[in-house]
Amino acid sequence: ETGVTQTPRHLVMGMTNKKSLKCEQHLGHNAMYWYKQSAKKPLELMFVYSLEERVENNSVPSRFSPECPNSSHLFLHLHTLQPEDSALYLCASSQEATNEKLFFGSGTQLSVL
Amino acid sequence: SQQGEEDPQALSIQEGENATMNCSYKTSINNLQWYRQNSGRGLVHLILIRSNEREKHSGRLRVTLDTSKKSSSLLITASRAADTASYFCATDQAGTALIFGKGTTLSVSS
């Protein structure tokens, strides 16, 4: 266990559905991240939060909406997704938003039909 | 744009052999990190080497960094079947996100 828990582990949704991914870290870290991992492509940073404030938004489509209610929890709200959004979505945390030593959750494998 | 590029893309070895993976990058960095990912799971941080360091060890792992060549290597000695995974290098440039490469898939057979 890395101390970062993601739910659900698998999610299948239609293009008109609305769903949310949840991430919780038990490490006392101040920074949390969402990454997208597609087949044959490098990990793509989506969002970074430091002390609940968004500090990075990597030109992500508005159909992905992050929420960080406190430093331990991070959500990714999904709506009107496209099939190309099917991927493994990984949450990570680190002590500070310094890009050093990220702790990753096991990810949510998302399939958009 | 992609910063780290691992080589080879895939590597198959026998248990007990050493595995070497390389990473090349394009611009100046603060540090370079290596991560391991087992199939369908999250990434696990293995080791971080800063730009002013040339070599670091952690257990059976040895990482080197050559900033003049903009390259790094990860050596796993006496490999085990449990080392089967994908290995990623990630580079940290000041003020930007951690940039990951596409990874090297290592297969260790017993």
Side-chain angles (χ1 to χ4, degrees):
Chain A
E1 287 297 325
T2 63
V4 180
T5 304
Q6 287 187 246
T7 55
R9 285 284 285 124
H10 301 273
L11 179 61
V12 179
M13 59 187 289
M15 290 191 284
T16 58
N17 290 160
K18 288 184 181 181
K19 296 286 184 183
S20 295
L21 310 185
K22 179 183 176 182
C23 177
E24 183 175 1
Q25 58 99 357
H26 309 275
L27 301 168
H29 287 169
N30 291 324
M32 296 187 77
Y33 310 75
W34 280 116
Y35 278 87
K36 176 184 178 183
Q37 186 176 33
S38 306
K40 311 278 187 203
K41 292 176 70 174
L43 267 74
E44 301 171 61
L45 177 66
M46 300 177 74
F47 301 102
V48 181
Y49 277 82
S50 176
L51 294 171
E52 302 140 50
E53 296 290 325
R54 190 190 306 179
V55 297
E56 182 90 32
N57 176 2
N58 236 22
S59 302
V60 178
S62 60
R63 57 185 183 268
F64 295 92
S65 175
E67 179 190 0
C68 188
N70 55 63
S71 59
S72 298
H73 293 86
L74 186 64
F75 295 89
L76 188 62
H77 304 298
L78 317 171
H79 65 94
T80 325
L81 294 191
Q82 306 297 311
E84 60 264 28
D85 296 323
S86 298
L88 181 67
Y89 288 84
L90 292 162
C91 173
S93 71
S94 62
Q95 186 63 52
E96 306 293 342
T98 55
N99 292 327
E100 293 192 8
K101 197 171 182 180
L102 273 59
F103 288 74
F104 283 83
S106 295
T108 293
Q109 186 65 55
L110 174 67
S111 296
V112 181
L113 305 179
Chain B
S1 64
Q2 185 178 332
Q3 171 75 316
E5 191 84 37
E6 291 92 344
D7 171 64
Q9 290 186 10
L11 180 61
S12 293
I13 59 174
Q14 299 284 320
E15 262 193 328
E17 294 180 340
N18 295 341
T20 299
M21 289 157 261
N22 302 297
C23 172
S24 59
Y25 57 93
K26 296 186 175 75
T27 61
S28 296
I29 59 172
N30 286 339
N31 65 67
L32 186 145
Q33 302 171 49
W34 286 92
Y35 288 79
R36 182 188 75 230
Q37 183 179 35
N38 290 88
S39 181
R41 310 292 290 184
L43 281 73
V44 175
H45 182 270
L46 295 176
I47 199 162
L48 179 153
I49 186 164
R50 300 193 185 279
S51 60
N52 61 352
E53 297 175 311
R54 292 296 167 259
E55 187 171 313
K56 278 189 94 166
H57 297 256
S58 177
R60 293 184 295 113
L61 306 181
R62 173 179 170 250
V63 168
T64 61
L65 179 65
D66 187 333
T67 53
S68 66
K69 295 181 179 178
K70 292 186 171 58
S71 68
S72 173
S73 68
L74 171 67
L75 168 67
I76 304 174
T77 60
S79 62
R80 306 165 182 169
D83 295 326
T84 295
S86 292
Y87 292 81
F88 297 87
C89 70
T91 50
D92 175 32
Q93 306 167 66
T96 68
L98 198 60
I99 307 295
F100 287 82
K102 291 184 180 179
T104 292
T105 300
L106 173 65
S107 177
V108 181
S109 54
S110 53

